[in-house]
Amino acid sequence: MLIDFHTHAFPDAISKRAIDKLAHLSGGLEPQGQGTVASLKEEMARDGVDISVVLSIATNPEQQTNVNNFAKKISDEKSIFAFGSVHPDADNALEELERIKDMGLKGVKLHPEYQGFYADDEKMKPIYKKISSLGLITVFHSGYDYGYAPPYHCMPDNLLNALKWFDSPVVAAHWGGVSCGVEVIEKLCGSDLYFDLSFGYGVMPRAVAQMIVDKHTPGKLLFASDMPWHRPIWEKRLIENLDISEEDKEKIYYKNAMRLLGI
């Protein structure tokens, strides 16, 4: 079995516009697929993925309801588990978290660059506490973001500071932080964080990836791709070229995700 813990899909009506905009912001990344749910499922079948976690982001307060309604619509809890999102500046963010829980969604995605907050900003404490009280999973975009200039808002120090406000699982995307390998090894490995292993192929040096795997418990690592920006088969190729036992690969490929998702 293979569970991809970090993918994206958009409503059909806006998928092309969204993909084109994000590709431009990234400096010209070539999308793998069309960015729709149907396209994601085609790529899953091609790369041998059984389940994808689809992560959406409310980039402004007014988007919350639509983003979460879309997540509920596509989440069949068979091949797709979609997470919701709240915007820190929304007056009803705490109520929306309750609605996310009531809809049966398993978690939320937060993107400090897109949403304009530092991960350890004091204003986030009520949101994190609410997430924890509801038992939801939180996935942070962490590290650099190709569409934005520094300073970045979710670096290893920010995440470490924010962890004190959480009592539910927290996932640092992209191996703990895009282009933050050394800092991740020094500061985050061994902490109470999950890392999703997305967007590593061709970006994360093999030696750095091996050090992260060696220093962070295999029970806290989640296979992930960042579709449509990286293919699952690419990320699997990186993992297969690391020194990891078959038992630990099973944890990374699906067992850890099954435990988090309750399946």
Side-chain angles (χ1 to χ4, degrees):
M1 175 174 276
L2 190 61
I3 298 178
D4 188 340
F5 212 86
H6 189 137
T7 72
H8 304 285
F10 305 91
D12 292 359
I14 67 166
S15 60
K16 186 180 187 308
R17 185 165 72 252
I19 287 293
D20 288 349
K21 179 181 179 180
L22 291 168
H24 173 72
L25 283 173
S26 72
L29 280 175
E30 184 71 25
Q32 306 298 305
Q34 305 304 311
T36 63
V37 176
S39 177
L40 173 62
K41 289 183 176 180
E42 289 175 2
E43 303 303 327
M44 289 168 61
R46 184 175 303 173
D47 283 5
V49 175
D50 299 283
I51 296 172
S52 283
V53 176
V54 176
L55 305 173
S56 298
I57 305 157
T59 58
N60 62 63
E62 290 72 33
Q63 282 186 339
Q64 282 187 158
T65 300
N66 288 339
V67 163
N68 296 324
N69 288 347
F70 174 69
K72 174 59 177 176
K73 179 180 178 181
I74 68 172
S75 189
D76 58 19
E77 298 199 354
K78 295 177 182 176
S79 61
I80 299 291
F81 283 75
F83 282 15
S85 186
V86 294
H87 196 282
D89 296 330
D91 292 337
N92 64 334
L94 301 184
E95 290 79 8
E96 188 66 9
L97 286 168
E98 292 181 357
R99 195 170 77 93
I100 287 170
K101 178 69 173 182
D102 290 343
M103 288 192 294
L105 304 180
K106 302 290 187 177
V108 295
K109 170 70 182 290
L110 298 174
H111 197 307
E113 308 306 327
Y114 290 6
Q115 296 178 311
F117 70 94
Y118 281 93
D120 55 351
D121 192 314
E122 188 77 23
K123 77 174 184 179
M124 298 302 296
K125 181 178 177 180
I127 291 176
Y128 298 162
K129 289 290 188 181
K130 187 67 172 181
I131 289 171
S132 294
S133 73
L134 295 169
L136 296 170
I137 304 161
T138 305
V139 179
F140 281 98
H141 170 87
S142 50
Y144 289 51
D145 187 287
Y146 293 162
Y148 289 79
Y152 298 109
H153 292 67
C154 191
M155 300 295 278
D157 283 337
N158 303 120
L159 269 177
L160 275 180
N161 290 335
L163 271 182
K164 64 181 177 289
W165 294 322
F166 281 97
D167 295 305
S168 59
V170 178
V171 180
H174 314 304
W175 289 82
V178 177
S179 299
C180 294
V182 173
E183 278 190 85
V184 168
I185 293 164
E186 292 176 348
K187 299 177 180 180
L188 297 185
C189 284
S191 68
D192 192 24
L193 273 171
Y194 287 85
F195 300 162
D196 86 35
L197 306 186
S198 63
F199 207 79
Y201 177 80
V203 178
M204 171 75 68
R206 180 187 178 280
V208 174
Q210 186 68 61
M211 284 188 281
I212 290 174
V213 169
D214 289 343
K215 194 170 180 181
H216 203 57
T217 171
K220 294 281 191 178
L221 301 175
L222 302 160
F223 178 80
S225 68
D226 204 10
M227 269 289 294
W229 307 112
H230 268 204
R231 298 192 63 86
I233 197 66
W234 298 352
E235 303 308 323
K236 189 172 182 182
R237 195 171 298 159
L238 171 58
I239 292 170
E240 288 296 325
N241 277 278
L242 300 177
D243 183 15
I244 307 174
S245 71
E246 291 304 313
E247 180 182 358
D248 287 342
K249 283 180 187 176
E250 288 184 352
K251 293 178 183 177
I252 293 168
Y253 285 148
Y254 67 94
K255 287 185 175 178
N256 295 336
M258 288 182 71
R259 185 177 68 252
L260 275 181
L261 297 172
I263 56 179

mmCIF file of all heavy atoms in Angstrom, residues 71-95:
data_model
loop_
_atom_site.group_PDB
_atom_site.id
_atom_site.type_symbol
_atom_site.label_atom_id
_atom_site.label_comp_id
_atom_site.label_asym_id
_atom_site.label_seq_id
_atom_site.Cartn_x
_atom_site.Cartn_y
_atom_site.Cartn_z
ATOM 1 N N ALA A 71 -13.535 20.446 0.285
ATOM 2 C CA ALA A 71 -12.839 19.332 0.935
ATOM 3 C C ALA A 71 -13.823 18.227 1.319
ATOM 4 O O ALA A 71 -13.562 17.038 1.113
ATOM 5 C CB ALA A 71 -12.082 19.829 2.159
ATOM 6 N N LYS A 72 -14.953 18.619 1.884
ATOM 7 C CA LYS A 72 -15.960 17.638 2.268
ATOM 8 C C LYS A 72 -16.500 16.901 1.038
ATOM 9 O O LYS A 72 -16.695 15.676 1.061
ATOM 10 C CB LYS A 72 -17.105 18.331 3.013
ATOM 11 C CG LYS A 72 -18.293 17.426 3.339
ATOM 12 C CD LYS A 72 -17.886 16.240 4.210
ATOM 13 C CE LYS A 72 -19.093 15.390 4.587
ATOM 14 N NZ LYS A 72 -18.687 14.179 5.347
ATOM 15 N N LYS A 73 -16.716 17.643 -0.030
ATOM 16 C CA LYS A 73 -17.292 17.064 -1.250
ATOM 17 C C LYS A 73 -16.399 15.981 -1.841
ATOM 18 O O LYS A 73 -16.887 14.942 -2.311
ATOM 19 C CB LYS A 73 -17.526 18.173 -2.280
ATOM 20 C CG LYS A 73 -18.094 17.697 -3.599
ATOM 21 C CD LYS A 73 -18.287 18.862 -4.561
ATOM 22 C CE LYS A 73 -18.814 18.380 -5.915
ATOM 23 N NZ LYS A 73 -18.991 19.521 -6.862
ATOM 24 N N ILE A 74 -15.088 16.192 -1.829
ATOM 25 C CA ILE A 74 -14.196 15.257 -2.510
ATOM 26 C C ILE A 74 -13.673 14.160 -1.593
ATOM 27 O O ILE A 74 -13.073 13.186 -2.067
ATOM 28 C CB ILE A 74 -13.003 15.992 -3.156
ATOM 29 C CG1 ILE A 74 -12.069 16.580 -2.093
ATOM 30 C CG2 ILE A 74 -13.490 17.053 -4.127
ATOM 31 C CD1 ILE A 74 -10.773 17.140 -2.657
ATOM 32 N N SER A 75 -13.892 14.279 -0.284
ATOM 33 C CA SER A 75 -13.324 13.331 0.672
ATOM 34 C C SER A 75 -14.220 12.107 0.782
ATOM 35 O O SER A 75 -15.217 12.111 1.500
ATOM 36 C CB SER A 75 -13.153 13.999 2.043
ATOM 37 O OG SER A 75 -12.417 13.183 2.914
ATOM 38 N N ASP A 76 -13.832 11.039 0.076
ATOM 39 C CA ASP A 76 -14.631 9.818 0.123
ATOM 40 C C ASP A 76 -14.137 8.836 1.187
ATOM 41 O O ASP A 76 -14.759 7.805 1.438
ATOM 42 C CB ASP A 76 -14.661 9.129 -1.242
ATOM 43 C CG ASP A 76 -13.270 8.770 -1.766
ATOM 44 O OD1 ASP A 76 -12.315 8.707 -0.970
ATOM 45 O OD2 ASP A 76 -13.134 8.570 -2.987
ATOM 46 N N GLU A 77 -12.980 9.158 1.804
ATOM 47 C CA GLU A 77 -12.354 8.321 2.826
ATOM 48 C C GLU A 77 -12.103 6.906 2.312
ATOM 49 O O GLU A 77 -12.053 5.944 3.071
ATOM 50 C CB GLU A 77 -13.162 8.322 4.131
ATOM 51 C CG GLU A 77 -13.248 9.701 4.751
ATOM 52 C CD GLU A 77 -13.611 9.693 6.224
ATOM 53 O OE1 GLU A 77 -13.908 8.614 6.763
ATOM 54 O OE2 GLU A 77 -13.574 10.773 6.829
ATOM 55 N N LYS A 78 -11.903 6.790 1.021
ATOM 56 C CA LYS A 78 -11.476 5.544 0.384
ATOM 57 C C LYS A 78 -10.170 5.805 -0.345
ATOM 58 O O LYS A 78 -9.129 5.297 0.035
ATOM 59 C CB LYS A 78 -12.553 5.036 -0.569
ATOM 60 C CG LYS A 78 -13.843 4.624 0.137
ATOM 61 C CD LYS A 78 -14.906 4.208 -0.866
ATOM 62 C CE LYS A 78 -16.223 3.845 -0.160
ATOM 63 N NZ LYS A 78 -17.288 3.532 -1.132
ATOM 64 N N SER A 79 -10.231 6.643 -1.372
ATOM 65 C CA SER A 79 -9.008 7.018 -2.083
ATOM 66 C C SER A 79 -8.586 8.453 -1.776
ATOM 67 O O SER A 79 -7.430 8.812 -2.006
ATOM 68 C CB SER A 79 -9.199 6.863 -3.593
ATOM 69 O OG SER A 79 -10.241 7.706 -4.056
ATOM 70 N N ILE A 80 -9.514 9.264 -1.269
ATOM 71 C CA ILE A 80 -9.217 10.669 -0.976
ATOM 72 C C ILE A 80 -9.621 11.013 0.448
ATOM 73 O O ILE A 80 -10.769 10.800 0.859
ATOM 74 C CB ILE A 80 -9.976 11.627 -1.928
ATOM 75 C CG1 ILE A 80 -9.577 11.382 -3.387
ATOM 76 C CG2 ILE A 80 -9.724 13.081 -1.538
ATOM 77 C CD1 ILE A 80 -8.164 11.768 -3.753
ATOM 78 N N PHE A 81 -8.678 11.540 1.208
ATOM 79 C CA PHE A 81 -8.926 12.173 2.496
ATOM 80 C C PHE A 81 -8.542 13.635 2.338
ATOM 81 O O PHE A 81 -7.357 13.947 2.169
ATOM 82 C CB PHE A 81 -8.088 11.541 3.617
ATOM 83 C CG PHE A 81 -8.599 10.223 4.110
ATOM 84 C CD1 PHE A 81 -8.422 9.074 3.355
ATOM 85 C CD2 PHE A 81 -9.249 10.125 5.332
ATOM 86 C CE1 PHE A 81 -8.886 7.843 3.810
ATOM 87 C CE2 PHE A 81 -9.717 8.898 5.800
ATOM 88 C CZ PHE A 81 -9.535 7.759 5.030
ATOM 89 N N ALA A 82 -9.511 14.523 2.351
ATOM 90 C CA ALA A 82 -9.219 15.947 2.173
ATOM 91 C C ALA A 82 -9.208 16.659 3.525
ATOM 92 O O ALA A 82 -10.032 16.359 4.393
ATOM 93 C CB ALA A 82 -10.246 16.588 1.249
ATOM 94 N N PHE A 83 -8.276 17.574 3.691
ATOM 95 C CA PHE A 83 -8.196 18.393 4.894
ATOM 96 C C PHE A 83 -8.804 19.762 4.613
ATOM 97 O O PHE A 83 -8.805 20.241 3.474
ATOM 98 C CB PHE A 83 -6.736 18.583 5.329
ATOM 99 C CG PHE A 83 -6.134 17.393 6.034
ATOM 100 C CD1 PHE A 83 -6.723 16.140 5.988
ATOM 101 C CD2 PHE A 83 -4.951 17.524 6.734
ATOM 102 C CE1 PHE A 83 -6.169 15.041 6.629
ATOM 103 C CE2 PHE A 83 -4.372 16.444 7.385
ATOM 104 C CZ PHE A 83 -4.977 15.198 7.338
ATOM 105 N N GLY A 84 -9.297 20.386 5.676
ATOM 106 C CA GLY A 84 -9.833 21.733 5.563
ATOM 107 C C GLY A 84 -8.767 22.777 5.830
ATOM 108 O O GLY A 84 -7.570 22.485 5.916
ATOM 109 N N SER A 85 -9.222 24.025 5.969
ATOM 110 C CA SER A 85 -8.302 25.130 6.265
ATOM 111 C C SER A 85 -9.090 26.254 6.905
ATOM 112 O O SER A 85 -10.289 26.413 6.664
ATOM 113 C CB SER A 85 -7.625 25.627 4.985
ATOM 114 O OG SER A 85 -6.632 26.601 5.272
ATOM 115 N N VAL A 86 -8.426 27.017 7.752
ATOM 116 C CA VAL A 86 -9.002 28.258 8.273
ATOM 117 C C VAL A 86 -7.993 29.373 8.051
ATOM 118 O O VAL A 86 -6.786 29.133 7.953
ATOM 119 C CB VAL A 86 -9.361 28.173 9.775
ATOM 120 C CG1 VAL A 86 -10.492 27.181 9.999
ATOM 121 C CG2 VAL A 86 -8.157 27.817 10.630
ATOM 122 N N HIS A 87 -8.505 30.590 7.966
ATOM 123 C CA HIS A 87 -7.629 31.758 7.816
ATOM 124 C C HIS A 87 -7.499 32.454 9.159
ATOM 125 O O HIS A 87 -8.501 32.714 9.833
ATOM 126 C CB HIS A 87 -8.169 32.728 6.772
ATOM 127 C CG HIS A 87 -7.145 33.717 6.323
ATOM 128 N ND1 HIS A 87 -6.802 34.820 7.085
ATOM 129 C CD2 HIS A 87 -6.358 33.751 5.217
ATOM 130 C CE1 HIS A 87 -5.866 35.497 6.450
ATOM 131 N NE2 HIS A 87 -5.575 34.868 5.317
ATOM 132 N N PRO A 88 -6.274 32.766 9.595
ATOM 133 C CA PRO A 88 -6.065 33.368 10.923
ATOM 134 C C PRO A 88 -6.815 34.673 11.150
ATOM 135 O O PRO A 88 -7.122 35.012 12.296
ATOM 136 C CB PRO A 88 -4.552 33.607 10.967
ATOM 137 C CG PRO A 88 -3.985 32.664 9.972
ATOM 138 C CD PRO A 88 -5.005 32.517 8.890
ATOM 139 N N ASP A 89 -7.117 35.400 10.068
ATOM 140 C CA ASP A 89 -7.786 36.697 10.224
ATOM 141 C C ASP A 89 -9.308 36.611 10.135
ATOM 142 O O ASP A 89 -9.990 37.637 10.207
ATOM 143 C CB ASP A 89 -7.267 37.680 9.167
ATOM 144 C CG ASP A 89 -5.786 37.978 9.344
ATOM 145 O OD1 ASP A 89 -5.306 37.924 10.494
ATOM 146 O OD2 ASP A 89 -5.104 38.258 8.341
ATOM 147 N N ALA A 90 -9.827 35.414 9.992
ATOM 148 C CA ALA A 90 -11.285 35.249 9.923
ATOM 149 C C ALA A 90 -11.878 35.341 11.328
ATOM 150 O O ALA A 90 -11.407 34.686 12.259
ATOM 151 C CB ALA A 90 -11.629 33.910 9.292
ATOM 152 N N ASP A 91 -12.921 36.139 11.469
ATOM 153 C CA ASP A 91 -13.561 36.291 12.780
ATOM 154 C C ASP A 91 -14.141 34.980 13.288
ATOM 155 O O ASP A 91 -14.242 34.772 14.504
ATOM 156 C CB ASP A 91 -14.679 37.336 12.695
ATOM 157 C CG ASP A 91 -14.142 38.748 12.453
ATOM 158 O OD1 ASP A 91 -12.950 38.992 12.772
ATOM 159 O OD2 ASP A 91 -14.902 39.582 11.944
ATOM 160 N N ASN A 92 -14.521 34.102 12.377
ATOM 161 C CA ASN A 92 -15.173 32.844 12.760
ATOM 162 C C ASN A 92 -14.249 31.642 12.595
ATOM 163 O O ASN A 92 -14.711 30.516 12.389
ATOM 164 C CB ASN A 92 -16.446 32.640 11.943
ATOM 165 C CG ASN A 92 -16.158 32.484 10.451
ATOM 166 O OD1 ASN A 92 -15.140 32.969 9.949
ATOM 167 N ND2 ASN A 92 -17.052 31.824 9.732
ATOM 168 N N ALA A 93 -12.940 31.850 12.680
ATOM 169 C CA ALA A 93 -11.993 30.750 12.477
ATOM 170 C C ALA A 93 -12.238 29.607 13.458
ATOM 171 O O ALA A 93 -12.197 28.431 13.082
ATOM 172 C CB ALA A 93 -10.556 31.250 12.589
ATOM 173 N N LEU A 94 -12.511 29.928 14.720
ATOM 174 C CA LEU A 94 -12.711 28.872 15.716
ATOM 175 C C LEU A 94 -13.992 28.095 15.444
ATOM 176 O O LEU A 94 -14.026 26.859 15.571
ATOM 177 C CB LEU A 94 -12.740 29.463 17.123
ATOM 178 C CG LEU A 94 -11.480 30.230 17.554
ATOM 179 C CD1 LEU A 94 -11.598 30.668 19.005
ATOM 180 C CD2 LEU A 94 -10.224 29.388 17.354
ATOM 181 N N GLU A 95 -15.036 28.801 15.039
ATOM 182 C CA GLU A 95 -16.294 28.132 14.701
ATOM 183 C C GLU A 95 -16.120 27.267 13.453
ATOM 184 O O GLU A 95 -16.698 26.180 13.348
ATOM 185 C CB GLU A 95 -17.403 29.159 14.474
ATOM 186 C CG GLU A 95 -17.866 29.880 15.732
ATOM 187 C CD GLU A 95 -16.927 31.000 16.165
ATOM 188 O OE1 GLU A 95 -15.981 31.330 15.401
ATOM 189 O OE2 GLU A 95 -17.132 31.551 17.265
#
